[in-house]
Structure formats: C-alpha cells, structure tokens
Amino acid sequence: MTVVPSLPAGLAARAEAVAGLIAERLDTPARADAAAVRAARQSDVSFWAGASLSEGHAGLALLHRHAAGREEGQGRARAFTRAAFAATGQSPLHHPGLFDGTAGLAFALQDVSRDEPRFLPSLGRLHEQLARQVIDADWPRVPGAVADHHYDLVYGAAGIAVQLCAAAPATPLVEEALERCLRHLVWVAADGNWAVGSRLDTGMAHGAAGIAAALAAAWRRDRRVPGQRAAMEELTGWLLAVGDGGTGPGRGGSGAGVAGGAGGLRWSRVVPADGGEAAPAWCHGTGGVAAGLLAVARATGDPGLEARAFAALEGLLDRVAGGDVPRSPTVCHGLAGIAALAHEFAAHGSAGAARALPGLALRLVDAADPGLPLLYRDHETTGHVVDNPGLLTGAAGIALTLRALATGHRPGWWSVLFPR
C-alpha cells in the first residue's frame, strides 16, 4: 500500500473525527435516503440513485468499508451494498458507466468483496452484465456525432475500461468488452474526435485527461490494442500544446519545447478557452490535466512528462495557497478533490504536493460545521447549496478523502479518481 508523508498527529486525529462523524450521520441506508430527499429539495438537479457509485448507496458502501471502526464499518458496508442491489429492482442499471451505472456498482462490490467473499458470485455476474452492455452499446464512430458520455471517465468508455481492467476473472466476454472500450478510446483520441461541437474538453471527468488516464491504466496492466501508445502521446501532446503559458510541442511526445516548462501551464475547461484557467478542481482544468499527464508518465516511464505533471500541479497548489479557493468542499469540483490530488502526487514523490498537504487538510477540517446535517454542503454550479450525502459531490466523498489524508494510505477507491 502506498504511503504518503503523514499529517501532524493532532490534525490527523481531527480529520479522522470529522470523517467518523459524517459516517455516523449516514450510518444506515434509510438515513442516507432521508438525506437525499432533503438534498433534492435544495437542488434542481435529480442526482440520487440507489445503485449509483457517485450519488447512491454503492458509494456509501465504500464510505463504511474504509471507516476507522473496522468491524462495525464492514457490517454497514454490507448493508449499503445490499441496498444498492435492492435499488436495481426498482431502477435497473441499463447503462454501463463508472460513476452512475453498472461499472460503478461493480467497482463498489469488488471493493466490499475483499472483506466479504460471499459477494464474489454476484460480482462475476455483474461483470458479465457490464460486458454485455458494452458490447451492445451504440457508440457513434462519426466525428461530430460523439458526445462526452460516450467516452469520458464519469459515464463513458474511459471509466468502464478502468473497471473492466480490474475484473477477475477476465472472462472472454469481459476481454471482448475491454477491447471494444480501448479501441473506441483510441479512435476518439485521433484528430480530436472527442470534440463536442467545436469545443475540446481538457479535463479528467469529461475530457482528454480522463481518456489518457484510462488508456494509461490499461497499458500498465498490459491490456493493449493497436494505436494505444500513439493515442496516449496524441492526447498528452495536445494537452501540453493548449496549456496557457506554453507554445506547445504540437503532437506527441513528452512536450519538449513548452515555453517556461509546465510550471507555467494552466488549463481552461475547454478549448477554445472559456475565460482563463478553470476553477481549482479534480474534474476540470489544471488539476485533472496534471493527474492525466502523471498517469501517462507512470505508464510509459517518461520522467520528463512526470516532471511536467509535478510542476503543473504544484503551480496550481501555489495558487490555491495564495487564495484561489475552490467554490465547494467536495471531491469533484472542490477542496477535497484538490487535497486528493496533493495526496496522490505526494505519494509519487512530489515535494511541493507533500508540503501543501497539511495546509489543505487543515483548511478542509476547519470547513466542517457540525451544525449542518452532514457537516459540509456542496456548492453546485447552478448556485444551489446542497446537503448532498454522495461520494463525488457530497459528504461521503469528503469523509473518504479525510480518512485517506489521516492515515497516509492510498485507498483502493482512489482508482475512480486516479486510474491505475
């Protein structure tokens, strides 16, 4: 298990305590459902689905599996896993995505199965269901007809590939589905086929960084298709070329020739630029792009690209320390996601990320308000402030991140944010 530099003991204890309090307020599926009902009244977005990894019981199963109280946490994790499966009876999972579909439920079940092997037969059947959904998926292969949910990390082929790479045993049907995902991603990477309209997304959640990270994760596991290495180089070369502050190398390679090195690079959400650097976040902009570059660097053994990834993330962390504060405390587009990025980069040797980590953890702990139902509220892009219980944009994800920061370990659930 990867270990990063530990937090000061007092801060680690505070982070554990906050994470534990959130887990206590979401200790049963019934309480989580009640919290979701309250959150729905605060938002104009329908987000809660019982089987969802992102915003459902599957994600909360991970919250309790990784909680500090081992035995009690395992019992709760099993209860949430069963609730997630029960939810599919009312709302079957007809789509394969990682954060809100079959791949996400499989991810959670696989994690919980490490402590509860009785779930393994169900996991095998779920992977077969996932593989059939991928094989039957109607992903367009015509430039201009592609939408981000066909290929991205959250809903599309990139996230699905991450889970299929981890499926064990890798049955012939699973292998066929994984190959289809990888071939689709290689096609998408060619000549900007991931354009939605005239815009190209740079980010981890829905754009080039997420595609690159998924291809890199498969590469590291020796799951490869023709053109995969070239696709990774195409994506990283393009990302370095469009980073604000560098002239860019054009296509391919590790970005030699970027003006001023990657420390000066920062990324808007989409290209053409939509108003400067994206807000500090995991999902869009510099943070996620840096993580995508790091994933490719680790997969291909490119120290120059790794250095550029470090410099880009460390530059973002400096800007956050200087007052460029994320709008939300959550994982997807907020402070917890920035802390997770620092944790991930520190684990891979970034001295700047290791230095930033205690300050980010302190800021996140200090933001907790026990007077709120779940201690934190998500600040949605719509302007709504929501007591969201979920993993990606809610309190469960913050608790899981605090737990990782407190222990210094790289938890298994990190793979949905940083494929490997």
Side-chain angles (χ1 to χ4, degrees):
M1 180 178 290
T2 303
V3 180
V4 303
S6 58
L7 299 178
L11 179 56
R14 289 183 63 198
E16 284 273 26
V18 171
L21 187 53
I22 293 171
E24 287 300 318
R25 295 190 184 185
L26 294 168
D27 61 344
T28 67
R31 291 187 75 178
D33 283 336
V37 169
R38 179 178 57 242
R41 299 192 190 105
Q42 300 168 331
S43 174
D44 57 6
V45 177
S46 176
F47 59 83
W48 186 258
S52 169
L53 177 66
S54 172
E55 310 292 345
H57 294 311
L60 270 68
L62 300 183
L63 167 66
H64 291 290
R65 181 178 181 263
H66 295 277
R70 189 74 177 163
E71 185 174 344
E72 184 178 44
Q74 300 323 304
R76 291 176 179 175
R78 290 191 293 271
F80 275 96
T81 301
R82 294 188 181 100
F85 270 92
T88 65
Q90 295 180 329
S91 300
L93 291 176
H94 295 303
H95 48 96
L98 179 59
F99 278 87
D100 72 337
T102 306
L105 182 56
F107 182 92
L109 185 60
Q110 187 164 345
D111 195 71
V112 175
S113 295
R114 293 185 174 95
D115 298 313
E116 183 45 88
R118 288 179 295 179
F119 284 139
L120 288 173
S122 295
L123 178 62
R125 290 190 293 272
L126 197 59
H127 278 139
E128 294 289 292
Q129 175 185 330
L130 172 61
R132 286 192 294 271
Q133 288 177 338
V134 170
I135 292 166
D136 292 341
D138 184 21
W139 290 333
R141 296 269 297 186
V142 178
V146 180
D148 53 18
H149 64 264
H150 295 132
Y151 58 75
D152 69 11
L153 190 69
V154 173
Y155 306 112
I160 299 163
V162 169
Q163 180 55 28
L164 287 171
C165 279
T171 65
L173 196 64
V174 166
E175 292 284 6
E176 181 183 352
L178 175 59
E179 182 175 344
R180 183 166 193 261
C181 286
L182 295 177
R183 288 183 179 276
H184 184 68
L185 294 174
V186 168
W187 175 82
V188 166
D191 298 319
N193 284 328
W194 73 97
V196 177
S198 62
R199 309 179 102 191
L200 293 160
D201 192 316
T202 62
M204 178 62 75
H206 304 297
I211 303 170
L215 289 172
W219 188 268
R220 289 189 69 178
R221 291 173 178 262
D222 292 321
R223 316 300 278 277
R224 301 174 183 181
V225 298
Q228 188 170 335
R229 176 67 179 262
M232 289 188 286
E233 292 176 348
E234 176 88 9
L235 291 163
T236 54
W238 178 81
L239 285 167
L240 288 166
V242 301
D244 178 39
T247 58
R251 294 170 179 259
S254 61
V258 174
L265 292 181
R266 55 191 75 185
W267 283 265
S268 65
R269 176 172 176 172
V270 296
V271 174
D274 58 354
E277 183 180 18
W282 164 83
C283 55
H284 296 300
T286 304
V289 172
L293 297 177
L294 179 62
V296 175
R298 301 289 295 183
T300 60
D302 186 338
L305 186 59
E306 179 178 81
R308 287 173 168 82
F310 280 11
L313 193 278
E314 289 168 5
L316 178 66
L317 295 177
D318 286 344
R319 294 190 289 279
V320 171
D324 190 3
V325 181
R327 70 169 186 272
S328 181
T330 55
V331 170
C332 181
H333 48 262
L335 183 58
I338 299 298
L341 282 160
H343 184 287
E344 177 72 356
F345 274 66
H348 289 300
S350 165
R355 286 192 300 272
L357 201 52
L360 292 167
L362 178 61
R363 184 179 291 181
L364 190 57
V365 169
D366 282 346
D369 181 353
L372 296 175
L374 300 175
L375 282 76
Y376 296 93
R377 285 176 163 161
D378 181 34
H379 294 248
E380 295 182 338
T381 55
T382 58
H384 294 90
V385 180
V386 183
D387 296 303
N388 186 332
L391 186 153
L392 191 59
T393 58
I398 299 172
L400 279 162
T401 301
L402 286 170
R403 170 72 176 154
L405 301 181
T407 62
H409 294 150
R410 188 190 197 276
W413 74 271
W414 228 236
S415 295
V416 297
L417 302 178
F418 311 110
R420 64 180 299 176

